[in-house]
Amino acid sequence: MSSTLNSFQHAIIPIAASSATGDISRLTEHLDSALNQQLPISMAKEVMVHLYAYVGFPRSLNALNTLMTLVDKRRDQGLNDVLGDVEQPEVVLPNSLQIGTENQTKLAGQPVSGPLFSFAPAIDQFLKAHLFGDLFQRTQLSWIDRELTTLSALSVLTGVESQLKSHFQISLNAGLTPTQLHEFISILRLGYDPLAADSAEKILLSVL
């Protein structure tokens, strides 16, 4: 398979998938392999931070604890892992709602509205201000990396087919190509879950 995603993006996919499902054993294996390939700790950490918006704090915190434990173990073994970007001191910004609304509109291809957001305006503001504002302003992952993280999680969860379909479209607006999305499916199939990959592929084909 000719690769159009970089090696770090290849590593993100099984890390995000195993974080989302809470499969700590497989997560440890994928993290160990990724760190051996020089994936920066900051990128792995940010994948797990980003995922809390989709899988909740418990899975995100468990994944972060797994990464922290593994990094400590590898350091004790004399392995020098790549640290990556320094954590930003301020992670909640005063203009997040405005920036998040702009980011969401760009990624969705149009302003996002609807009866659900009128019914529950709080979730609309949280999506705009925190997910698309606070998180998408962080530099540890590109927008493409964030969408690969999200696609990986949604592909292995059940009952989120409509969200996965939306994010395949969003990922195209973020800059991923159809070829790269097919490669994503192949990596998910070979590196994590063939059945989940088959289901995700059907949804991708409906989008393309």
Side-chain angles (χ1 to χ4, degrees), residues 123-143:
I123 201 69
D124 184 38
Q125 290 197 25
F126 288 148
L127 278 169
K128 288 178 167 66
H130 188 52
L131 175 56
F132 291 104
D134 295 328
L135 289 178
F136 271 79
Q137 290 182 83
R138 290 170 61 80
T139 60
Q140 286 83 356
L141 294 177
S142 69
W143 283 15

Side-chain angles (χ1 to χ4, degrees), residues 28-127:
T28 301
E29 293 177 7
H30 290 305
L31 284 172
D32 199 40
S33 175
L35 292 173
N36 285 338
Q37 297 174 44
Q38 306 300 302
L39 178 75
I41 295 171
S42 63
M43 288 189 70
K45 185 165 47 173
E46 190 68 14
V47 166
M48 297 159 185
V49 170
H50 184 82
L51 279 177
Y52 103 81
Y54 295 93
V55 301
F57 276 114
R59 289 284 165 86
S60 179
L61 291 171
N62 288 346
L64 285 164
N65 187 65
T66 301
L67 173 61
M68 180 177 66
T69 301
L70 179 61
V71 167
D72 289 344
K73 178 181 177 181
R74 288 171 60 89
R75 184 173 58 244
D76 292 342
Q77 294 172 341
L79 298 172
N80 295 315
D81 294 316
V82 179
L83 295 178
D85 291 346
V86 176
E87 183 78 11
Q88 297 168 216
E90 186 178 10
V91 296
V92 178
L93 305 175
N95 58 345
S96 292
L97 180 58
Q98 176 187 343
I99 293 176
T101 301
E102 294 169 357
N103 288 345
Q104 185 191 47
T105 300
K106 186 180 298 183
L107 286 163
Q110 60 184 7
V112 177
S113 61
L116 177 62
F117 299 128
S118 298
F119 177 72
I123 201 69
D124 184 38
Q125 290 197 25
F126 288 148
L127 278 169

